[in-house]
Amino acid sequence: MKESFPLIWIPLLPLLGAAFNLLLGRKLSRRWVHTVAVGTVFGSLVMTLFVLRQLYAGWDSHHHTMVTLHHAVFDWINAGAVQIKFGLMADTLTGVMLFIVTFVGALIHLYSTGYMDHERDYARFFGYLNLFMGAMLLLVLGDNLVVLFLGWEGVGLCSYLLIGFWYDKSGTQKLGLENANAGRKAFIVNRIGDLAFIIGMFILFAAVGSLDFADLSAAAAQGPQGPLMSSYAPFGFGPFSLAGVAALFLFIGATGKSAQIPLYVWLPDAMAGPTPVSALIHAATMVTAGVYMVARMNFLYMLTPSVMAVVALVGALTAFVAATIGLAQNDIKKVLAYSTVSQLGYMFMGVGVGAYAAGIFHVFTHAFFKACLFLGAGAVIHALHHEQDIRRMGGLKSSLSVTRLTFLVATIAIAGIPPLSGFFSKDEILWKAISTANPAAPWLGPVIYVLGMAGAICTAFYMFRLYTLTFEGKCRLSAEEQAKIHPPDWRMATPLVVLAFGALVLGVLGLPGLFGEHANFFHNWLAPTVDQGAKFAALAIPGAHVTPAILSKSHGAEGGLMALSFAIALLGSVIAWRVYNKGPSVWARNLTDRFRGPYNAIYNKYFVDEFYFLVVIWPFKKIAWLLWKVVDALIIDLLCVRGSARIVDLMGRLVRQFQTGSVQHYLAGLLVGVGVILYVVAQPPDDFRIRANSIKAAGAPLKVLVGERVFFDARRPVDKAMRALEYKWDFDGDGKVDEPQAPTQQKGQKEQAQRWSKRQMANFIYKKPGRYRVVMDVRDTRWHTQARETQVIDVIDPNAPKVPVSGSSTHGKGVH
Amino acid sequence: MLLIAILAIPLVGAIAVALMPRKDEQGARHMGMVFTLLTFFVSLALIAGFKISDPGMQFEFSVPWVRSLGINFHVGIDGISLWLVLLATLLGPIVMLSTYKAIDTRVKEFVASLLILEMAMIGALVSLDLFVFYVFWEIMLVPMYLMIGVWGHGAKIYAALKFVLYTLVGSLVMLVAIIYVYVSHGAATGFYTFDYMVLTQSVWGEQAQIFLFLAFAIAFAIKVPMFPLHTWLPDAHTQAPTAGSVILAGVLLKMGTYGFIRFAIPLFPYGAAVWAPYISGLAVIGIIYGALVAYAQKDAKKLVAYSSVSHLGFVMLGLMAMNEAGVTGSLYQMLNHGISTGGLFLAIGMLYERRHTHELDQFGGLWRRMPVFAGMFMIIMLSSAGLPGLNGFVGEFLILVGAFTHHQGVAGTDLPIFIWHSRLMAGIAAIGVVLGAVYLLHLYQKLMFGPITQPKNADLDDASWREILTFAPLIVLIFAMGIYPKPFLERMEPAVKLFLKEYKVKYKASEGYTGQQPKQLASLSRSKYALPALSAPRAGIVAKTTMAGGKAVSPKVPKIVRPKIVPPKVVRPKIVRPKVRPRGGAAPAPRTPRKRISPEDMRRIRRQMQQRGRPPGRGGRGGAG
Amino acid sequence: MVPTGYVLVLAAVLFLLGLVGVVLRRNVIIVMMSVELMLNGVNMTLIGFARARGEMFGQAFSFMIIALAAAEAAVGLAILVAIFRTRRTVNVDEISLMRH
Amino acid sequence: MDLLSQKTPLSQRRPFISSLMATIALLVPWLATSVAWATPQAAAAAKTAPAFNGALWTFYIFGALTIAGALLTITRRNPVTAALWLVFTLFATAGVYLSLHATFMAAIQVLVYAGAIMVLFMFVVMMVGNTERQEFGIMRGLFSKVVALGAIALLGWRLISLLMRQAPAKAAMVSDGYGSVHSMGGVLFREYLFPFEAISVLLLVAIVGAVVISRRSTEEKEEV
């Protein structure tokens, strides 16, 4: 851990350049703009070389040890458990990426000064380009996933800005929204990838508690008991190992960024941006970020063979599918775009089978020859004034000789014809693919090898088709267009030459095992960082981890396979050369006619864009509109909010009817009220009941003995108001008033009717047994109401013989 | 004293502006600018004087306001409310600056209401007395209502009325809860007070807490606004003037979330635990729903309004995650939302000043004409979309991490986990981040990119220096808070730690406690507010509130003794047998005849009375003889 | 000697007739007169009970009522005149709005 | 209730004379009986002679006249006729008061009520002028009228049925000075002193009120 070198300056320099250009650039002359822009990038390149020297010094090729430069800049996010520091680190893997980014970046900056010479927003372009360089360098240098994510989304932003650079044009000439849409599509697809990436980060954080690569690798090193190996069932789906789930989510993020199968749709549209942008971002640097991330997290991926299988398979599939689409494209940049997607597929195939060094080496070589191809195409487009359809070009080798030569070298390299770098890196990947055994998916090796080889043939074919249609044969341009062709000036030519030379020579860095154990410089260089994963995996999942099969020892097989891939590459190239030598050939025409169906599928890119539109974009728009109009406007707003207001209004209107203003209506209401109150209040009491001998059973005939004094009680249960009630009793049912006895013998029915007493209780002695009906009349003097209550009483003679009562008790006749 | 100054300056400003002559519009604007800037600079002193390590309340000031009810004008700030006050005071001058060209009718009244609104906002943020909080909460409505109703455009009356009524309904529910708290606390401890510091020391029964929290939650949920209660926001925003929208989005929306973190959760921890799953569920729905509906909008302001629903859904999710990362993240996201959405509204306001329309279709290709404006607008848009390196990302990252690690123990302790599937919710909320990018890029593209379609757009002038000056502080803050959030986070940290520690203590105390009356917890460490010991006779408030000057003032609150209710003794009426009056027509017994007075005697008596001044003549009941 | 029951009944009838007049008639003057009738009914009740109890209070009270009736009539008619002057009508139904 | 809308014979058309004649027809017997009653001897004679209950017969006569007067007051369309019939009713009521030994009240009734208040009514009626045609459509608001009538009927029936069934409470014996000015003065200036003063204040207020209201109207006249 050496703090020797302030690594922050490598990304900071381009960022400062970007700030300078974006803020002040508009006002300054072009000289200022591009000197600052190119200067800062070359500054970073120099610093990178310095770092590489230090790394080289500390690197021991035999014992696979290296030195890592660290630079903890400041505490970034710290809230309780979340302690994220903004730290940078540089080890051998970073070294390689740094070199690619800065070297190719510097060349492309130089190239851009020529390419964008007549452009109006000159400063803005270079501002964005520098911003991109800064973000990419941050991504590569970050020492924890969050800083990597910072760079990750930073480059996503820059690709959005640069793709939509000609924001008011469709394509390069006519006005329209296409470029802007392409930029937006790129950003959103990247963002979807980033969504998965961030979830992966959270899973790792929840398990390990930190996101620094050092801590993560330490957690991975803890073997089976480590946090990474604990079982984890996200969203209820089956128990996977935590490392597996996190790795999968991170890989989905990588597919978004590096344009693999599900999320590659944005890359072909990204060609809407200026060609140097395509060269830098969509060929050399940004798209390789995914591969770098997988390589950096090799310790995580090695723990989960199943996810590595997924990575390899997706890579292989992408390689093959993209290559087939490439066959049928007629736009020079579209062909190169699909070629990039295909080559990225190869890289993921490499890292997917555990051959991280091979994958990164392919990134290294691909950066050179793909950049060279793109810049060559750029030179052609620049010369032909934005003509991109290869069918209308042809025969440019005479006018653009330098471009033709560099383009040819790069084409041979990418086709995979030795001794150029392309062959070595691609062959290494194919060799590692077939020779590595992945216990989780034993069938994986051969399958991806076949896919890879098929992809290789197509690559060779469409690359040479592109070359021959563009440069060979007779020129299909109109006379005056041909006149206007001008060869690229030095600023555009030198990068082409340098890159072509790189493509030619760099193969030597990664010679296959055939040439001796330590011949592969690249493998040894990356070993310290990349092979950690293998060691941890052997510890964590003994026996179940990905191991290079014994086959890798026998050089014979390797040699044979190398010859096979060379033959295939040669075959593809020669066929393409023969077919398209004279220009768009008739043979190709009727071939495509015969296979109309598949050709159509390939030409329309398997209708993936339309599929996505139908499955994702259209429903999204419809749901959004539906939610707004129905849920928001109708249900919540109209029904609940306005509804309650309307109810109140309705009630108000209802009550208003009564306010007529006419006094007499009010009086009528008053009278009704008084009437009701009087009626309710002035209710005479009516709950009279007689209870005798305080026997509670109401209704049942009362058993009383002859001669026994019977007490009758007419008090009402609740009588707080002490009503002025008067009572009259008739005990023996003879209709005469027995109680109150008349004080004086007054004759006549009227007096009897008059006699009322206020006493509520009375008593009587029955002489003869039998059944009597006691009648009580009650009068309310205040309300002048009268009520009558009856009670049946059986008087029994105690000394009469017991007669078995057999239902013969006749009514009224007592038994004597 | 400092807080009182910060509150007083806008008030004095408002009065000063109100007294100015009506015609002097430019003078009113300058006066408004002066006062808002003054408030801002004074509030900067807050940061200087703020002791980072002290978790408790600082700059406290308490003076008895209504002695008989135990209401003290008790103000103070801690880590949680410090930055929100700063946000309010920062947005003040920015909004003032943006109204120089926007408002031209009744400028004087506008500036006055703006200043009063600022005072009310700061008041609500710093008040530590439930009653004072409620008063400021209501005062906030009035100027906002005026702003939307008077200076708004389109269906402004409807929008203003809907805004006020919606918030009012909520706050009335809260008032009921506040009163219940006041009474029950008084009844239990015999010590009636609205003081938040004292109330947080006692814990209510489980059942009571559930309903009380719900009452508070409704009021604050409307203000946040959370998913089903949000329909007032789009209307209020589209019809409000630029300044109104910025202040409404910048600070007023934070009142809801601030209310949750200051009052609802600490006072009723158990209630918070019970309702947490539902609230975070609604928050997640709000995130997705807000984003989707925002994408479908044709009106720029409506789009940004719905984006606020989505962003504040994040804040609520973080809050309910109830761990350090989540709560700090939600606090930080409140600031971010204030800045980024405030900025968005400023930008749309500037476009409105030029084209007098919010319709997205009317714009297109403005980058060509207004590159500087487009640049600034892009930075603000990206901050709102949560691009790493800008402020939005820090907040959203913390919230999502907090929500994601919720299951590893709430508040870092062994409390039961409130929210089931917290990881699923965090996953869905992360989708909200993507949708955020979708609708914001949609907005940006409709406004800025593409060829110039409308002829009127061809001659729009670029951002003037005044507009650049308006955006400058926001952009500086966006970058500063994005790259180096340490100064902001470290001041929040102690307060959040204390918040969570107390939450744990009170949650354990209130679990299983089903009593109606609140019970006090002696274990809470707020020594400064030692409540009279349970056994000691009910002394007055012992809250030694230290004035900023260090002089201990213990406001004497009169003891209200509970009336002793004596159960009425039920007296059984004795039945008195009425004296039976003989019946029949016999006349009543003749009364004793009165001695007849001859006329001569009458004359003599009259003479005597005259000498003694009594009036002659003899009345009397029943007349003579 | 008049039985109080008869007096009360007569008073009640008088009162009710006044009530009918108030409720049914459209002309404000007639309504006012009906009110006077009702007041007379009340007076008669008072005096009837005063006579029944042999005390003067009833009559004193009805004396007050007459004074009151005078005051009420004065103010009522003043208002009536004021309304008539502005609205040219004494019909109860037309005087139903505070402002016309 | 179409009583009002029909065209009644001659007496209606010249309302004034018919009501005047009725008043005079009432005045003469009333004066005669009151004079007869005023003398103490007659009162004492009436008391002692149980056979012919003079008071009862006066009550019957004047009671009937009161009811008739009241009925006619509320049914006349022309307010002037109604006013005069009201005067007639007041005189009849005064007669009833006489039968109840309330001589002073009878005088006051005639003096204040019939004299002062009815004069005020007549004055206002004259000023307001002929508002006969105001009496259009009885049918308006029929619903509330029917409701009101129903309520009155219910209340009336209940009230009267209760009063009828009221037991004939024994009326207290009263001295012959009962109801005279003398006893009334005693009551008014002893027990009822405060109400007496209060009612005078009320009258003052009423006067001021009436003046203010009517004065305002005169200003308008200037404007008009």
Side-chain angles (χ1 to χ4, degrees), chain A residues 76 120 181 206 632 637 759, chain B residues 162 230 289 306 368 445:
Chain A
W76 186 17
R120 194 149 42 104
N181 282 342
D632 207 70
D637 211 8
R759 269 192 283 92
Chain B
K162 185 172 178 180
H230 65 285
Y289 175 84
Y306 278 111
R368 177 64 62 205
Q445 173 152 331

Side-chain angles (χ1 to χ4, degrees), chain A residues 21-58:
Chain A
N21 274 333
L22 286 176
L23 294 180
L24 310 172
R26 269 158 29 91
K27 302 209 174 28
L28 298 173
S29 72
R30 285 171 178 264
R31 282 187 57 73
W32 267 103
V33 169
H34 62 239
T35 34
V36 165
V38 177
T40 49
V41 174
F42 269 95
S44 295
L45 178 59
V46 165
M47 277 188 274
T48 306
L49 293 180
F50 189 75
V51 163
L52 280 176
R53 198 175 63 75
Q54 281 204 328
L55 286 174
Y56 185 79

Side-chain angles (χ1 to χ4, degrees), chain D:
Chain D
M1 282 316 290
D2 59 358
L3 188 66
L4 292 170
S5 57
Q6 289 149 354
K7 259 294 181 233
T8 52
L10 179 64
S11 65
Q12 285 316 91
R13 272 198 305 289
R14 280 194 299 290
F16 187 72
I17 298 161
S18 62
S19 55
L20 202 62
M21 273 193 313
T23 328
I24 294 160
L26 172 78
L27 213 59
V28 166
W30 177 72
L31 279 176
T33 47
S34 60
V35 164
W37 269 99
T39 59
Q41 296 79 3
K47 198 152 31 74
T48 52
F52 170 67
N53 192 339
L56 195 59
W57 280 105
T58 356
F59 172 78
Y60 284 145
I61 297 165
F62 287 115
L65 291 177
T66 315
I67 292 176
L71 208 60
L72 286 169
T73 315
I74 57 173
T75 46
R76 291 310 93 197
R77 252 214 329 277
N78 182 345
V80 174
T81 325
L84 286 172
W85 277 115
L86 183 56
V87 168
F88 171 77
T89 317
L90 292 177
F91 279 108
T93 318
V96 168
Y97 289 167
L98 281 179
S99 71
L100 292 169
H101 295 284
T103 49
F104 175 73
M105 280 317 295
I108 289 294
Q109 176 85 351
V110 167
L111 202 62
V112 170
Y113 228 123
I117 297 178
M118 286 328 291
V119 164
L120 184 64
F121 264 96
M122 292 309 288
F123 177 70
V124 167
V125 164
M126 289 309 164
M127 194 167 85
V128 162
N130 188 344
T131 57
E132 215 169 320
R133 55 175 173 64
Q134 299 288 347
E135 202 63 52
F136 53 76
I138 192 73
M139 302 307 289
R140 246 171 66 74
L142 183 64
F143 169 71
S144 57
K145 285 189 175 50
V146 163
V147 164
L149 268 185
I152 294 169
L154 173 75
L155 280 177
W157 168 252
R158 197 155 189 81
L159 194 58
I160 291 170
S161 64
L162 276 176
L163 293 178
M164 295 286 267
R165 272 184 284 136
Q166 188 63 35
K170 277 294 291 119
M173 285 305 299
V174 281
S175 61
D176 55 7
Y178 172 77
S180 66
V181 177
H182 181 274
S183 57
M184 182 56 131
V187 165
L188 271 186
F189 291 101
R190 277 203 193 76
E191 287 76 12
Y192 271 62
L193 186 59
F194 176 70
F196 186 80
E197 297 308 330
I199 209 76
S200 60
V201 167
L202 179 86
L203 284 173
L204 178 65
V205 165
I207 294 162
V208 169
V211 165
V212 164
I213 292 174
S214 46
R215 186 175 57 72
R216 196 176 53 73
S217 56
T218 49
E219 270 163 24
E220 261 168 6
K221 199 180 293 164
E222 276 92 26
E223 287 156 19
V224 155

Side-chain angles (χ1 to χ4, degrees), chain B residues 89-369:
Chain B
T89 48
L90 170 75
L91 284 181
I94 288 176
V95 164
M96 257 324 290
L97 201 57
S98 74
T99 55
Y100 265 65
K101 243 161 22 87
I103 303 288
D104 39 23
T105 60
R106 289 199 189 83
V107 176
K108 195 159 72 86
E109 288 78 359
F110 183 84
V111 173
S113 61
L114 183 66
L115 286 169
I116 290 177
L117 182 60
E118 183 162 352
M119 179 209 71
M121 284 188 295
I122 298 171
L125 284 171
V126 293
S127 64
L128 291 177
D129 190 302
L130 283 180
F131 190 85
V132 173
F133 170 74
Y134 185 75
V135 165
F136 280 120
W137 176 275
E138 292 299 330
I139 293 178
M140 268 195 302
L141 288 184
V142 174
M144 201 59 223
Y145 174 76
L146 290 179
M147 275 195 202
I148 299 177
V150 174
W151 293 279
H153 27 69
K156 53 187 178 180
I157 305 298
Y158 165 75
L161 197 58
K162 185 172 178 180
F163 161 74
V164 170
L165 286 184
Y166 227 123
T167 323
L168 210 56
V169 162
S171 48
L172 289 181
V173 172
M174 178 169 74
L175 182 61
V176 167
I178 289 177
I179 291 167
Y180 176 83
V181 160
Y182 170 74
V183 166
S184 62
H185 182 271
T189 58
F191 163 53
Y192 285 87
T193 174
F194 277 99
D195 195 329
Y196 166 71
M197 285 301 166
V198 174
L199 290 176
T200 45
Q201 294 189 17
S202 49
V203 162
W204 276 262
E206 273 184 8
Q207 211 53 29
Q209 278 200 25
I210 291 176
F211 288 110
L212 286 174
F213 183 84
L214 181 64
F216 271 80
I218 289 173
F220 296 139
I222 287 177
K223 201 73 174 171
V224 164
M226 292 197 63
F227 165 60
L229 308 169
H230 65 285
T231 46
W232 59 274
L233 189 69
D235 292 333
H237 269 310
T238 35
Q239 266 72 35
T242 319
S245 279
V246 173
I247 285 282
L248 179 63
V251 186
L252 255 66
L253 296 191
K254 309 304 170 301
M255 286 306 155
T257 43
Y258 170 73
F260 267 109
I261 192 167
R262 170 70 77 213
F263 295 105
I265 294 176
L267 283 175
F268 317 110
Y270 185 78
V274 164
W275 288 108
Y278 305 104
I279 290 181
S280 51
L282 278 180
V284 168
I285 297 172
I287 293 172
I288 304 298
Y289 175 84
L292 280 173
V293 174
Y295 179 75
Q297 292 308 321
K298 298 284 180 295
D299 179 323
K301 270 201 159 181
K302 265 210 162 101
L303 191 145
V304 179
Y306 278 111
S307 83
S308 303
V309 174
S310 178
H311 281 294
L312 287 163
F314 267 106
V315 172
M316 283 316 295
L317 182 67
L319 202 56
M320 280 300 144
M322 213 58 81
N323 50 27
E324 183 126 7
V327 174
T328 318
S330 62
L331 277 174
Y332 202 71
Q333 185 66 358
M334 283 194 223
L335 301 180
N336 302 338
H337 177 266
I339 293 168
S340 57
T341 310
L344 284 177
F345 276 121
L346 280 173
I348 294 171
M350 287 169 194
L351 291 181
Y352 183 80
E353 266 168 49
R354 289 169 171 72
R355 283 293 315 285
H356 293 294
T357 173
H358 296 310
E359 286 305 319
L360 289 177
D361 310 335
Q362 294 293 323
F363 296 98
L366 293 189
W367 189 305
R368 177 64 62 205
R369 295 295 308 160

Side-chain angles (χ1 to χ4, degrees), chain B residues 540-561:
Chain B
I541 182 170
V542 184
K544 293 188 294 305
T545 49
T546 51
M547 297 268 290
K551 190 156 50 55
V553 167
S554 68
K556 200 75 197 73
V557 173
K559 193 157 41 31
I560 296 172
V561 177

